[in-house]
Amino acid sequence: MTGPERFITLEGGEGTGKSTLIAGLQRVLSERGAEIVVTREPGGTVLAEAVRALALNPPDDESWSPLAHALLMNTAREDHLKNLIRPALARGAWVICDRFADSTRAYQSIDGVALEQLLAIEAIVVGETRPDLTLILDAAPDALAERRRQRNVSDVFEQKDLSFHEQVRVAFLDIADNEPDRCVVLDALQSPEDVLNAALSAIDQHLVAA
Ligand code: TYD
């Protein structure tokens, strides 16, 4: 398992099973012998986790403007890239990141920040460290809600309405349409094992065979 490309990001709406897939990828790819660094955004470093707390849980019922929120995501990302992602890639590790710049494009554009502005900030912060492969976990939000109800999972998914989840889905599918060489869309309603196998096939095709 060699080759220069090894920065993988996972994207998708809430409840699509990113954490389960990441655990599976970590297990299988580690068995192949590579160093696998699993991380998340916003977060991943001490400072970026502090920014995460500030961004996702602002004090005293205060709320960030959409642009301030986008800047906070990028502030966390700058530290994450500098202190964790780039050093890991430089020593030959594979980095698997739970959410990355596509989440900013999706969520913050839905919040009302112009996509051109988001892309301009992304270009400054991410620079050349673009993901080599982005796995997008996709499912119809109503099917996900039903699945979660059956499993008695009650969480943040249910606090937002279905139209919001639908907007998130469309935003990620748009990104995949625009960058088909980088993005692979996976059916999140498959069994966890099938999602993992589909992800491994995408990795083998995009990265190992590249
Ligand atoms: P998290 O609990 O990690 O959600 P999930 O399990 O769905 O990944 O919370 C991250 C939240 O932050 C999620 O709602 C998406 C949002 N987010 C943004 O709005 N912009 C971003 O750039 C990132 C990375 C996340």
Side-chain angles (χ1 to χ4, degrees), residues 12-15 18-19 40-42 52 56 69 73 77 98-101 103-104 107-108 160:
E14 270 95 328
K18 288 194 296 339
S19 311
R40 70 169 182 180
E41 290 214 341
R52 176 191 176 96
L56 299 184
H69 206 240
M73 295 295 160
R77 183 163 303 131
D98 183 349
R99 298 193 179 282
F100 190 64
S103 277
T104 314
Y107 286 90
Q108 276 60 65
K160 296 177 187 156

